[in-house]
Amino acid sequence: MAEPEQQQQQQANPDEVVLGQETGGARVAILNRPRQLNVISDRVVYLLAQFLESWEKDEDAKLVIFKGAGRAFSAGGDLKMFYEGKSDDSCLEVVYRMYWLCYHIHTYKKTAVALVNGLVMGGGAAMVAPLKFAVVTEKTVCNTSP
């Protein structure tokens, strides 16, 4: 059971796109955009990177778990930003950061596991692929083709 402080941290902003939980030696990153099938936006990448860097330095953290809220792990990248007419390099910056995040996950110093249920596509699959451990259910549908 999570400690009261940690529960308050999650409850402080339950609408955040990524929630972080700490329970004993486990750290849980929850993709929290269920209505959008947990698509990965620049904010998601930023928060995941912050959690991972913090937990990697935390001596009490022994295990990192990734999971998605709702009926999808992640439907991949949030393509909305590309369709909204952004003509500057900000979209490329998000793609670069996502590749960096996948590299960081691949080289992560702590044990990391993805709990995959439901839809997993594109960038969501790219987060799962470098992990040594992924637990999938019979409801998992994976599509990595464009």
Side-chain angles (χ1 to χ4, degrees):
M1 177 173 270
E3 296 172 8
E5 287 178 29
Q6 294 155 344
Q7 288 178 340
Q8 288 175 358
Q9 177 185 357
Q10 181 184 2
Q11 292 171 356
N13 190 357
D15 295 325
E16 186 60 85
V17 296
V18 178
L19 302 175
Q21 294 178 337
E22 299 180 5
T23 304
R27 304 297 180 259
V28 183
I30 303 167
L31 302 176
N32 191 40
R33 297 179 76 187
R35 290 185 184 159
Q36 296 83 19
L37 301 176
N38 298 319
V39 295
I40 300 170
S41 65
D42 56 343
R43 178 81 179 151
V44 171
V45 172
Y46 172 79
L47 289 171
L48 281 173
Q50 293 294 317
F51 282 128
L52 289 173
E53 289 176 12
S54 171
W55 294 338
E56 196 166 36
K57 296 173 188 171
D58 182 355
E59 291 182 17
D60 294 331
K62 306 297 182 200
L63 172 69
V64 173
I65 300 169
F66 296 96
K67 68 182 197 175
R71 61 188 179 100
F73 176 79
S74 174
D78 188 351
L79 300 179
K80 186 177 178 182
M81 68 179 170
F82 292 102
Y83 294 115
E84 288 181 340
K86 291 192 175 187
S87 59
D88 59 10
D89 289 338
S90 63
C91 295
L92 292 175
E93 181 70 22
V94 173
V95 171
Y96 169 79
R97 288 181 185 171
M98 181 61 190
Y99 279 113
W100 176 88
L101 179 65
C102 290
Y103 175 76
H104 191 151
I105 291 170
H106 180 70
T107 59
Y108 205 63
K109 293 179 174 72
K110 303 212 177 193
T111 303
V113 178
L115 302 179
V116 184
N117 183 46
L119 188 63
V120 59
M121 296 172 58
M127 284 178 50
V128 174
L131 294 173
K132 292 180 183 172
F133 305 101
V135 178
V136 298
T137 70
E138 68 279 359
K139 294 181 181 179
T140 299
V141 176
C142 185
N143 185 349
T144 57
S145 63

